[in-house]
Amino acid sequence: MLEIKEIELREIRLRLKEPFAISSGVVNERRILLVEVRDEDGNVGWGECPAGEAPNYSPETIDTAWHAIENWVAPRVLETELTGPEAIHSILEPEIRGHFMAKAAVEMACWELKARKQEISLSRLLGGTRDKIATGISIGIQSDPEVLAKKAKGYLAQGYRKIKIKIMPGKDLEFVRATREALGEDAPLMVDANNAYSLADAALFTALDEFDLLMIEQPLAWDDIIRHATLQKRIRTPICLDESITHVDKAGDMIALGSGKIVNIKPGRVAGFTASIQIHDLCARNKVPVWCGGMLESGIGRSHNVALASLPNFLFPGDLSPSSRYWEQDIVTPEWTMDENGFVTVPVNKPGMGVEVDRDRVENLTEKQSILGKETV
Ligand code: OSB
Ligand code: MG
């Protein structure tokens, strides 16, 4: 049984060490929605909503997520007798369209609570089998090809096992060429376009085949499946879908239509761990490898991503950079780190997410707070 008594929402702000640019916008400071759930026995669980400040990745933002949790998600979770966190997805889905990141923040917090209560790691509760995970880095759009190539080379030397560069029209072919030359032909290199192109740009993608990229992530529209199938037929490099895969059925559509050969699973994007595991299992049955993406999360969201990435069909390095790559100081202890071989350790011998929240620091960073209880909803 899972009896949630209270759901506490907080907004904190964390400044990135350096701005992060994708084709549709730049982030300097993250506004982060944290969720803490508490049950009748005093057990707690933490979750993080990865929605950004602007709707330039998905239609959700931190403000729409706050609204959705307060008005629709939290009331249902507080009022329903739940058998466990695995029941939350099917309770929310029939009545609430979309709002996946809002649903995920609460759902993942409930999984974290269950893991702590059972005194097992979140990784093992989810079915994880690995105790270390290969790490990749996602490099934002840079001013010119040489700056990018130099940065990429530095990250490869730090141990990162996959280098992902963001591209957009005007900052694509020459940026890839310079990076490939700097890294050498065998380095694991990929690009992420965050929907910046259309089928009219197919010639660019056939030209990119020359650079032996591991994959091209989400070249076309954020909700497209059909046109990606057309593009995939024209190019050799595998397409990896990120934004378009919001539900296990979308992964099914991708596989049926040949819209891509790899899936980037972000638990926040798909309403949480239950849907992530469904997508993972469907892809495994169809021999489609997956990997875990990131959304510039704090150490809480990162811990959820690390736990998920320990499942067996996560076959490419995840965007799981250490805390110090993003922040002067994270909000968890210990902070997330990467060893010199580019692996992050899964804290399998610690209960729950395996790191502790620095409550004083979170308190100091809090801009907005709301406690939702059975009586307040
Ligand atoms: O498309 O994967 C993406 C960050 C914000 C929004 C979208 C994406 C990203 C990243 C960052 O690539 C990955 C990370 O957290 O390091
Ligand atoms: Mg992406």
Short mmCIF file of all heavy atoms in Angstrom, two decimals, residues 13-47:
data_model
loop_
_atom_site.label_atom_id
_atom_site.label_comp_id
_atom_site.label_asym_id
_atom_site.label_seq_id
_atom_site.Cartn_x
_atom_site.Cartn_y
_atom_site.Cartn_z
N ARG A 13 15.78 28.05 -7.58
CA ARG A 13 16.54 28.53 -8.75
C ARG A 13 17.99 28.15 -8.61
O ARG A 13 18.58 28.32 -7.54
CB ARG A 13 16.44 30.05 -8.87
CG ARG A 13 15.07 30.41 -9.34
CD ARG A 13 14.88 31.86 -9.53
NE ARG A 13 13.43 32.04 -9.60
CZ ARG A 13 12.82 32.97 -10.29
NH1 ARG A 13 13.52 33.86 -10.96
NH2 ARG A 13 11.51 33.04 -10.31
N LEU A 14 18.55 27.64 -9.70
CA LEU A 14 19.96 27.27 -9.72
C LEU A 14 20.58 27.84 -10.99
O LEU A 14 20.09 27.59 -12.09
CB LEU A 14 20.14 25.75 -9.74
CG LEU A 14 20.13 24.95 -8.43
CD1 LEU A 14 20.40 23.48 -8.75
CD2 LEU A 14 21.16 25.47 -7.45
N ARG A 15 21.65 28.60 -10.81
CA ARG A 15 22.32 29.21 -11.95
C ARG A 15 23.28 28.20 -12.58
O ARG A 15 24.07 27.56 -11.88
CB ARG A 15 23.09 30.47 -11.49
CG ARG A 15 23.86 31.16 -12.57
CD ARG A 15 24.02 32.65 -12.32
NE ARG A 15 22.78 33.38 -12.58
CZ ARG A 15 22.37 33.77 -13.79
NH1 ARG A 15 23.11 33.54 -14.86
NH2 ARG A 15 21.23 34.41 -13.95
N LEU A 16 23.20 28.04 -13.90
CA LEU A 16 24.13 27.16 -14.61
C LEU A 16 25.51 27.82 -14.65
O LEU A 16 25.61 29.05 -14.76
CB LEU A 16 23.65 26.91 -16.04
CG LEU A 16 22.46 25.96 -16.19
CD1 LEU A 16 21.82 26.13 -17.57
CD2 LEU A 16 22.88 24.51 -15.98
N LYS A 17 26.57 27.03 -14.60
CA LYS A 17 27.93 27.59 -14.70
C LYS A 17 28.12 28.31 -16.02
O LYS A 17 28.80 29.32 -16.09
CB LYS A 17 28.97 26.47 -14.59
CG LYS A 17 29.30 26.09 -13.17
CD LYS A 17 30.44 25.09 -13.21
CE LYS A 17 30.94 24.75 -11.82
NZ LYS A 17 31.91 23.64 -11.86
N GLU A 18 27.53 27.75 -17.09
CA GLU A 18 27.57 28.46 -18.37
C GLU A 18 26.24 28.25 -19.07
O GLU A 18 25.58 27.24 -18.87
CB GLU A 18 28.76 27.99 -19.23
CG GLU A 18 28.82 26.50 -19.45
CD GLU A 18 29.97 26.10 -20.36
OE1 GLU A 18 31.00 26.80 -20.40
OE2 GLU A 18 29.83 25.06 -21.03
N PRO A 19 25.84 29.22 -19.91
CA PRO A 19 24.54 29.10 -20.58
C PRO A 19 24.49 27.84 -21.44
O PRO A 19 25.52 27.41 -21.97
CB PRO A 19 24.47 30.35 -21.47
CG PRO A 19 25.55 31.26 -21.01
CD PRO A 19 26.57 30.44 -20.30
N PHE A 20 23.30 27.25 -21.56
CA PHE A 20 23.12 26.06 -22.39
C PHE A 20 22.15 26.40 -23.50
O PHE A 20 20.99 26.75 -23.25
CB PHE A 20 22.58 24.90 -21.53
CG PHE A 20 22.58 23.58 -22.25
CD1 PHE A 20 23.73 22.81 -22.32
CD2 PHE A 20 21.42 23.11 -22.85
CE1 PHE A 20 23.73 21.59 -23.00
CE2 PHE A 20 21.41 21.89 -23.53
CZ PHE A 20 22.57 21.13 -23.59
N ALA A 21 22.64 26.32 -24.76
CA ALA A 21 21.80 26.70 -25.90
C ALA A 21 21.42 25.48 -26.74
O ALA A 21 22.27 24.66 -27.08
CB ALA A 21 22.53 27.71 -26.78
N ILE A 22 20.12 25.36 -27.05
CA ILE A 22 19.67 24.39 -28.04
C ILE A 22 19.04 25.19 -29.17
O ILE A 22 18.95 26.42 -29.09
CB ILE A 22 18.69 23.33 -27.45
CG1 ILE A 22 17.35 23.95 -27.03
CG2 ILE A 22 19.34 22.65 -26.26
CD1 ILE A 22 16.30 22.91 -26.60
N SER A 23 18.60 24.50 -30.25
CA SER A 23 18.13 25.24 -31.43
C SER A 23 16.97 26.19 -31.10
O SER A 23 16.81 27.22 -31.74
CB SER A 23 17.71 24.26 -32.53
OG SER A 23 16.73 23.37 -32.05
N SER A 24 16.20 25.89 -30.07
CA SER A 24 14.99 26.69 -29.79
C SER A 24 15.11 27.63 -28.60
O SER A 24 14.12 28.26 -28.22
CB SER A 24 13.81 25.75 -29.57
OG SER A 24 14.13 24.81 -28.57
N GLY A 25 16.29 27.77 -28.01
CA GLY A 25 16.39 28.71 -26.90
C GLY A 25 17.60 28.47 -26.01
O GLY A 25 18.25 27.44 -26.11
N VAL A 26 17.88 29.45 -25.14
CA VAL A 26 19.04 29.40 -24.24
C VAL A 26 18.56 29.42 -22.78
O VAL A 26 17.60 30.12 -22.46
CB VAL A 26 19.95 30.65 -24.41
CG1 VAL A 26 21.26 30.48 -23.65
CG2 VAL A 26 20.20 30.93 -25.86
N VAL A 27 19.26 28.67 -21.92
CA VAL A 27 18.96 28.71 -20.49
C VAL A 27 20.21 29.17 -19.73
O VAL A 27 21.30 28.64 -19.97
CB VAL A 27 18.59 27.31 -19.93
CG1 VAL A 27 18.03 27.43 -18.52
CG2 VAL A 27 17.62 26.60 -20.82
N ASN A 28 20.05 30.15 -18.85
CA ASN A 28 21.15 30.60 -17.98
C ASN A 28 20.97 30.11 -16.56
O ASN A 28 21.92 29.79 -15.86
CB ASN A 28 21.20 32.13 -17.94
CG ASN A 28 21.66 32.69 -19.26
OD1 ASN A 28 22.83 32.58 -19.60
ND2 ASN A 28 20.74 33.23 -20.03
N GLU A 29 19.70 30.15 -16.16
CA GLU A 29 19.37 29.78 -14.79
C GLU A 29 18.19 28.83 -14.86
O GLU A 29 17.25 29.06 -15.63
CB GLU A 29 18.95 31.04 -14.02
CG GLU A 29 18.76 30.81 -12.55
CD GLU A 29 18.23 32.06 -11.85
OE1 GLU A 29 17.21 32.62 -12.29
OE2 GLU A 29 18.84 32.44 -10.85
N ARG A 30 18.24 27.75 -14.10
CA ARG A 30 17.12 26.81 -14.10
C ARG A 30 16.16 27.17 -12.98
O ARG A 30 16.57 27.39 -11.85
CB ARG A 30 17.63 25.37 -13.88
CG ARG A 30 18.44 24.82 -15.03
CD ARG A 30 17.55 24.24 -16.13
NE ARG A 30 16.93 23.01 -15.74
CZ ARG A 30 15.61 22.85 -15.59
NH1 ARG A 30 14.75 23.82 -15.78
NH2 ARG A 30 15.13 21.67 -15.24
N ARG A 31 14.87 27.25 -13.33
CA ARG A 31 13.83 27.29 -12.29
C ARG A 31 13.39 25.84 -12.15
O ARG A 31 12.92 25.24 -13.12
CB ARG A 31 12.66 28.14 -12.77
CG ARG A 31 12.96 29.62 -12.81
CD ARG A 31 11.78 30.38 -13.42
NE ARG A 31 10.55 30.18 -12.66
CZ ARG A 31 9.32 30.41 -13.16
NH1 ARG A 31 9.17 30.81 -14.39
NH2 ARG A 31 8.26 30.21 -12.41
N ILE A 32 13.57 25.27 -10.97
CA ILE A 32 13.35 23.83 -10.80
C ILE A 32 12.21 23.57 -9.81
O ILE A 32 12.21 24.10 -8.71
CB ILE A 32 14.65 23.13 -10.32
CG1 ILE A 32 15.76 23.34 -11.35
CG2 ILE A 32 14.40 21.65 -10.09
CD1 ILE A 32 17.12 22.82 -10.92
N LEU A 33 11.27 22.74 -10.25
CA LEU A 33 10.15 22.36 -9.38
C LEU A 33 10.51 21.04 -8.69
O LEU A 33 10.70 20.02 -9.36
CB LEU A 33 8.90 22.20 -10.25
CG LEU A 33 7.52 22.17 -9.60
CD1 LEU A 33 6.44 22.12 -10.67
CD2 LEU A 33 7.29 21.10 -8.60
N LEU A 34 10.59 21.09 -7.37
CA LEU A 34 10.88 19.88 -6.58
C LEU A 34 9.60 19.42 -5.90
O LEU A 34 8.78 20.23 -5.47
CB LEU A 34 11.94 20.18 -5.51
CG LEU A 34 13.31 20.63 -6.01
CD1 LEU A 34 14.23 20.90 -4.82
CD2 LEU A 34 13.94 19.58 -6.93
N VAL A 35 9.47 18.12 -5.78
CA VAL A 35 8.30 17.53 -5.13
C VAL A 35 8.78 16.64 -4.00
O VAL A 35 9.68 15.82 -4.19
CB VAL A 35 7.50 16.66 -6.13
CG1 VAL A 35 6.34 15.96 -5.42
CG2 VAL A 35 6.97 17.51 -7.28
N GLU A 36 8.20 16.82 -2.81
CA GLU A 36 8.49 15.90 -1.72
C GLU A 36 7.17 15.29 -1.29
O GLU A 36 6.22 16.00 -0.98
CB GLU A 36 9.14 16.66 -0.55
CG GLU A 36 9.61 15.74 0.56
CD GLU A 36 10.23 16.50 1.74
OE1 GLU A 36 10.29 17.74 1.72
OE2 GLU A 36 10.64 15.82 2.69
N VAL A 37 7.11 13.95 -1.31
CA VAL A 37 5.88 13.28 -0.85
C VAL A 37 6.12 12.65 0.51
O VAL A 37 7.24 12.21 0.81
CB VAL A 37 5.39 12.20 -1.87
CG1 VAL A 37 4.99 12.85 -3.18
CG2 VAL A 37 6.43 11.12 -2.10
N ARG A 38 5.10 12.65 1.35
CA ARG A 38 5.21 12.04 2.68
C ARG A 38 4.02 11.11 2.89
O ARG A 38 2.90 11.44 2.51
CB ARG A 38 5.20 13.13 3.76
CG ARG A 38 6.46 13.99 3.74
CD ARG A 38 6.51 14.95 4.93
NE ARG A 38 5.81 16.18 4.65
CZ ARG A 38 6.35 17.25 4.07
NH1 ARG A 38 7.63 17.26 3.72
NH2 ARG A 38 5.64 18.33 3.85
N ASP A 39 4.29 9.94 3.50
CA ASP A 39 3.18 9.02 3.77
C ASP A 39 2.77 9.08 5.24
O ASP A 39 3.33 9.86 6.03
CB ASP A 39 3.51 7.59 3.29
CG ASP A 39 4.51 6.88 4.20
OD1 ASP A 39 4.94 7.45 5.23
OD2 ASP A 39 4.87 5.74 3.86
N GLU A 40 1.80 8.27 5.60
CA GLU A 40 1.24 8.28 6.96
C GLU A 40 2.29 7.90 8.02
O GLU A 40 2.20 8.30 9.16
CB GLU A 40 0.06 7.29 7.06
CG GLU A 40 -1.08 7.57 6.09
CD GLU A 40 -1.92 8.79 6.46
OE1 GLU A 40 -1.74 9.32 7.58
OE2 GLU A 40 -2.73 9.22 5.62
N ASP A 41 3.29 7.10 7.60
CA ASP A 41 4.30 6.64 8.58
C ASP A 41 5.54 7.54 8.63
O ASP A 41 6.54 7.17 9.26
CB ASP A 41 4.76 5.21 8.22
CG ASP A 41 3.60 4.26 8.16
OD1 ASP A 41 2.68 4.41 9.00
OD2 ASP A 41 3.60 3.38 7.27
N GLY A 42 5.52 8.65 7.92
CA GLY A 42 6.66 9.56 7.97
C GLY A 42 7.75 9.26 6.94
O GLY A 42 8.81 9.88 6.97
N ASN A 43 7.49 8.31 6.03
CA ASN A 43 8.47 8.09 4.95
C ASN A 43 8.37 9.23 3.95
O ASN A 43 7.28 9.77 3.73
CB ASN A 43 8.17 6.78 4.22
CG ASN A 43 8.29 5.58 5.13
OD1 ASN A 43 9.36 5.30 5.68
ND2 ASN A 43 7.19 4.87 5.33
N VAL A 44 9.51 9.58 3.34
CA VAL A 44 9.50 10.65 2.35
C VAL A 44 10.08 10.17 1.02
O VAL A 44 10.83 9.19 0.97
CB VAL A 44 10.30 11.91 2.81
CG1 VAL A 44 9.79 12.41 4.14
CG2 VAL A 44 11.79 11.63 2.86
N GLY A 45 9.73 10.88 -0.03
CA GLY A 45 10.31 10.61 -1.34
C GLY A 45 10.42 11.91 -2.10
O GLY A 45 9.58 12.80 -1.94
N TRP A 46 11.48 12.04 -2.89
CA TRP A 46 11.72 13.27 -3.65
C TRP A 46 11.55 13.05 -5.15
O TRP A 46 11.92 12.00 -5.68
CB TRP A 46 13.14 13.78 -3.42
CG TRP A 46 13.35 14.43 -2.09
CD1 TRP A 46 13.76 13.81 -0.94
CD2 TRP A 46 13.16 15.82 -1.77
NE1 TRP A 46 13.84 14.75 0.08
CE2 TRP A 46 13.48 15.98 -0.40
CE3 TRP A 46 12.76 16.95 -2.51
CZ2 TRP A 46 13.40 17.22 0.24
CZ3 TRP A 46 12.69 18.17 -1.87
CH2 TRP A 46 13.00 18.31 -0.51
N GLY A 47 11.02 14.08 -5.81
CA GLY A 47 10.91 14.06 -7.27
C GLY A 47 11.28 15.42 -7.82
O GLY A 47 11.32 16.41 -7.09
#
